[in-house]
Amino acid sequence: MSVSFTEIYNQALSRLDDPILLKTYKENSQEFYRVMYWRLRAAIADFTIPESTVYILQDYTEPIFYSESIEAAGNQTTFELSDSEIILEDALILNVSVDGLSADEYSITDNKIVFDDAVDEGGEVSIVYYKDGMFNGELSRTEQEILSLFVVKAWAEKERNFLLDIRRLISDKDFKLISEANSLREKNNWYTAIREEAENKMKFFSWKDAFSDRKKK
């Protein structure tokens, strides 16, 4: 059974205590998924054994990020996306607004939006669309857990590197006088712990996989 990227993100979120990330998740879901997608790409690269899992992780359907603004050519109720391959019913996220105000009273058919009330000429209809990515093969719960840990590791690495960049920009003396010095120690310890946990679980899973039924098939 295929596994959506969102399932992996949700598992990773349970280990992430980042107020900025959580705020983005609530206020700009598409941007949240865009950020997490690049962490997932890093996580896939980190999952190096067993070979059977690596093969599954390389076979996935890319997520789709799409946005468009359409100006009403007259008093208009129906708006069609310029990309005919975008099927709105497939969206995990679909935000529709008219002149900057969120719209609720509309229906969708394929890649068309039909409003209950006509949009005045010159009015701007904005659409934000996101379709989830998907691993096409079957991933066990253990594989999903390990992959989500590598997502957390990728996020922790970014946070640690950000503070290292600050340290390089200012003198070591000044760095020690500000709170970032303590933050760097905490982030580095967090990164190391997550990395070791993910790698150890991956190695143990790989050892078990060598004797599993899936390996024998």
Side-chain angles (χ1 to χ4, degrees):
M1 184 171 146
S2 57
V3 177
S4 71
F5 288 3
T6 300
E7 292 177 69
I8 305 301
Y9 301 152
N10 287 339
Q11 292 185 54
L13 270 179
S14 67
R15 301 289 293 266
L16 288 169
D17 184 20
D18 188 310
I20 296 177
L21 183 64
L22 296 175
K23 188 173 187 290
T24 303
Y25 177 64
K26 292 178 181 178
E27 298 180 2
N28 189 342
S29 300
Q30 190 189 53
E31 187 60 28
F32 166 82
Y33 286 116
R34 193 186 301 276
V35 168
M36 293 303 291
Y37 174 57
W38 291 110
R39 305 294 174 268
L40 179 62
R41 289 283 297 269
I44 291 171
D46 281 337
F47 210 138
T48 55
I49 52 175
E51 186 176 329
S52 55
T53 302
V54 173
Y55 178 79
I56 293 171
L57 293 180
Q58 296 302 319
D59 179 21
Y60 60 84
T61 302
E62 294 267 1
I64 299 174
F65 301 91
Y66 182 85
S67 61
E68 182 173 359
S69 293
I70 308 171
E71 184 177 315
N75 288 343
Q76 189 175 342
T77 58
T78 301
F79 294 80
E80 184 173 357
L81 302 187
S82 59
D83 188 342
S84 61
E85 295 184 5
I86 299 295
I87 306 301
L88 295 173
E89 289 95 333
D90 294 339
L92 175 64
I93 299 171
L94 180 61
N95 296 326
V96 179
S97 61
V98 177
D99 292 332
L101 299 177
S102 181
D104 297 315
E105 297 180 352
Y106 62 85
S107 59
I108 57 176
T109 303
D110 294 331
N111 70 335
K112 299 183 182 69
I113 295 175
V114 182
F115 291 96
D116 294 352
D117 298 318
V119 178
D120 295 336
E121 182 175 2
E124 184 177 66
V125 174
S126 296
I127 302 102
V128 172
Y129 170 98
Y130 170 72
K131 182 178 179 180
D132 204 4
M134 190 79 63
F135 290 106
N136 298 318
E138 184 175 350
L139 290 170
S140 69
R141 290 185 178 180
T142 301
E143 288 169 308
Q144 293 178 47
E145 178 193 5
I146 295 169
L147 184 60
S148 71
L149 282 172
F150 277 123
V151 170
V152 176
K153 178 247 181 185
W155 184 265
E157 186 173 18
K158 181 192 78 73
E159 293 287 289
R160 184 198 63 171
N161 290 345
F162 173 72
L163 290 172
L164 286 172
D165 286 341
I166 291 177
R167 186 170 194 166
R168 282 190 285 267
L169 289 171
I170 63 178
S171 71
D172 189 59
K173 179 181 178 181
D174 290 338
F175 186 82
K176 290 178 180 178
L177 292 175
I178 57 179
S179 60
E180 276 77 359
N182 289 330
S183 295
L184 176 57
R185 283 191 291 271
E186 292 173 3
K187 295 293 185 184
N188 194 53
N189 290 339
W190 178 43
Y191 166 76
T192 301
I194 288 292
R195 184 195 65 199
E196 290 178 352
E197 181 181 358
E199 290 179 352
N200 288 338
K201 286 188 174 182
M202 179 181 66
K203 290 173 183 176
F204 182 68
F205 174 77
S206 181
W207 178 81
K208 289 182 63 178
D209 184 73
F211 302 96
S212 71
D213 290 338
R214 185 172 73 176
K215 187 73 174 180
K216 295 173 185 177
K217 291 180 182 179

